[in-house]
C-alpha cells in the first residue's frame, strides 16, 4: 500500500524547535475532516508512531509530534521539561501549522499533555482522545513503571544497543519494533525523561479534567495496570461527558499489542472510522 507520508519538518513554536512528521495531507475527504495531532509517550519519538500515523493518514491530515527532548525536537540542559511547557508547545504547534480544526490523540504522557493543553480551551480544538494516561499524581498511587526501566535502556542506547539488547526491556515486541526503538531511543534526553516521570507524581491532571470543554474519549488497556476501573469511574465523575473504551488483549502500549483493536476502539469518534 502506498505510504501516506509526505514529509517531516521543523517549526519554531513556543520559542523552541519542534519537529513533526506529517501524514495524509488534505486531499479528498480528508479536507472535510479535522486534522489529527498525535502526541507520543515518555520515550517514544515520533518515528516510533509511524505505523499508526500511516493508518491515520489514510483518513485524516495527521501530524506526529516529537515532544521536546525527544526525537529531533530541541533538547538542552537548560530546557524546561515540565508538563506546562509541553502543553504550551502543543498549543503553539497548532498555531504555527495554521490548523483551523484539529483533535488531540495522546498516548500515556502524551495524553497528560493533551489534558493540560485542553484545559485552556485552545482555539480550533474539537476533540481529545486520551490513551491510557498515567493517573498518578499528588497523594495518588505511583505510576507502575519504574524510572530505571527508562534510564537504563537510554544509557545503553546512547552507547549503541541492538535489537536483542532491547528485547530485555520490551520482551513482547516484534523485531521491527525492537529495531526501531534501539535506533531512536538515544534521542530521548534523560533529563527530559526524568522530569516527565517525576511529573507523573507531582502534576495533578485530575484537577484539569473538569475544564475539558470538547468531546473526549478515554481509551484504556484491558491488560494494563495504568488505568483501573476505579480510575475510569473517578475520571468520568470529574468529566461527565468523557466516553470510555477498553481495548482487549493489550497492555499499556496498546497499538503495539493489538493494532487492529486499537483502531477499532476509536469507532467514528474522530469523524471517520479507521477500519
Amino acid at each position: 500500500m502506498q505510504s501516506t507520508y509526505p514529509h517531516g519538518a521543523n517549526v519554531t513554536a513556543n520559542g523552541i524547535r519542534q519537529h513533526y512528521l506529517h501524514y495524509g495531507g488534505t486531499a479528498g475527504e480528508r479536507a472535510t475532516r479535522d486534522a489529527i495531532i498525535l502526541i507520543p509517550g515518555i520515550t517514544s519519538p515520533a518515528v516510533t508512531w509511524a505505523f499508526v500515523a500511516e493508518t491515520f493518514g489514510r483518513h485524516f491530515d495527521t501530524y506526529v509530534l516529537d515532544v521536546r527532548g525527544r526525537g529531533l525536537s530541541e533538547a538542552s540542559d537548560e530546557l524546561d521539561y515540565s508538563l506546562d511547557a509541553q502543553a504550551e508547545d502543543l498549543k503553539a504547534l497548532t498555531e504555527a501549522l495554521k490548523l483551523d480544526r484539529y483533535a488531540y490523540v495522546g498516548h500515556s504522557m502524551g495524553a497528560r499533555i493533551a489534558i493540560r493543553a485542553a484545559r485552556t480551551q485552545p482555539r480550533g480544538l474539537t476533540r481529545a482522545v486520551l490513551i491510557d494516561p498515567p493517573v498518578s499524581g499528588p497523594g495518588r498511587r505511583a505510576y507502575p513503571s519504574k524510572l530505571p526501566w527508562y534510564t537504563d535502556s537510554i544509557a545503553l542506547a546512547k552507547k549503541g544497543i541492538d535489537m536483542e539488547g532491547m528485547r530485555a526491556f520490551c520482551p513482547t515486541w516484534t523485531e521491527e519494533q525492537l529495531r526501531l526503538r534501539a535506533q531512536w531511543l538515544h534521542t530521548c534526553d534523560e533529563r527530559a525523561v526524568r522530569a516527565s516521570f517525576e511529573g507523573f507524581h507531582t502534576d495533578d491532571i485530575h484537577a484539569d479534567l473538569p475544564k475539558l470543554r470538547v468531546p473526549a474519549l478515554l481509551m484504556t488497556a484491558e491488560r494494563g495496570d495504568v488505568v483501573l476501573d476505579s480510575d475510569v469511574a473517578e475520571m468520568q465523575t470529574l468529566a461527565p461527558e468523557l466516553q470510555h473504551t477498553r481495548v482487549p488483549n493489550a497492555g499499556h502500549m496498546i497499538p503495539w499489542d493489538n493494532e487492529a483493536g486499537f483502531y477499532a476502539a476509536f469507532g467514528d469518534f474522530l469523524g471517520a472510522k479507521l477500519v
Side-chain angles (χ1 to χ4, degrees):
M1 186 176 294
Q2 185 176 1
S3 175
T4 64
Y5 172 59
H7 66 272
N10 297 278
V11 295
T12 300
N14 196 30
I16 67 166
R17 183 190 72 254
Q18 295 195 49
H19 176 259
Y20 64 90
L21 302 177
H22 184 200
Y23 291 78
T26 57
E29 292 185 350
R30 287 179 297 225
T32 67
R33 298 168 182 161
D34 300 342
I36 303 296
I37 310 293
L38 290 173
I39 313 126
I42 188 169
T43 54
S44 295
V47 68
T48 63
W49 276 74
F51 72 105
V52 172
E54 284 280 11
T55 295
F56 270 83
R58 290 196 282 274
H59 306 276
F60 304 96
D61 189 27
T62 301
Y63 302 82
V64 194
L65 173 63
D66 266 330
V67 177
R68 60 169 59 198
R70 285 88 173 169
L72 300 181
S73 284
E74 190 165 331
S76 75
D77 291 340
E78 292 77 33
L79 204 60
D80 179 1
Y81 289 119
S82 68
L83 179 61
D84 285 339
Q86 293 168 336
E88 290 302 316
D89 285 349
L90 182 57
K91 293 189 290 183
L93 177 69
T94 58
E95 291 291 335
L97 295 174
K98 296 180 171 58
L99 299 177
D100 293 325
R101 293 176 58 86
Y102 55 88
Y104 294 154
V105 177
H107 172 251
S108 192
M109 177 192 77
R112 290 171 67 94
I113 295 171
I115 292 169
R116 180 56 54 93
R119 72 174 180 172
T120 61
Q121 294 91 52
R123 183 189 64 81
L125 179 65
T126 60
R127 297 175 182 83
V129 181
L130 315 173
I131 305 166
D132 227 40
V135 294
S136 45
R140 297 178 177 275
R141 73 176 188 279
Y143 183 58
S145 294
K146 305 302 180 184
L147 182 61
W149 187 89
Y150 301 105
T151 56
D152 290 355
S153 58
I154 290 171
L156 290 171
K158 287 186 178 297
K159 295 178 180 178
I161 189 173
D162 62 11
M163 178 190 71
E164 290 304 325
M166 192 57 68
R167 195 185 299 277
F169 296 91
C170 308
T172 64
W173 288 23
T174 67
E175 290 187 0
E176 181 180 2
Q177 293 164 353
L178 292 168
R179 286 195 182 97
L180 197 61
R181 187 166 178 83
Q183 180 184 0
W184 282 90
L185 185 60
H186 75 92
T187 68
C188 295
D189 185 286
E190 183 179 323
R191 183 169 169 266
V193 173
R194 285 182 177 274
S196 293
F197 187 86
E198 291 168 2
F200 286 173
H201 302 91
T202 58
D203 293 312
D204 186 3
I205 61 162
H206 290 78
D208 299 333
L209 288 171
K211 300 174 184 177
L212 288 178
R213 296 292 185 271
V214 296
L217 172 66
L218 174 65
M219 184 185 302
T220 60
E222 182 184 62
R223 295 204 311 263
D225 53 359
V226 174
V227 186
L228 307 178
D229 288 341
S230 57
D231 299 317
V232 174
E234 180 184 9
M235 294 174 78
Q236 290 183 315
T237 298
L238 294 169
E241 302 303 317
L242 182 66
Q243 301 177 41
H244 174 244
T245 182
R246 280 207 186 273
V247 181
N249 303 315
H252 181 60
M253 302 299 286
I254 296 175
W256 278 254
D257 292 338
N258 182 359
E259 187 176 358
F262 172 71
Y263 299 138
F266 285 88
D268 59 3
F269 180 79
L270 295 173
K273 293 181 182 297
L274 292 163
V275 291

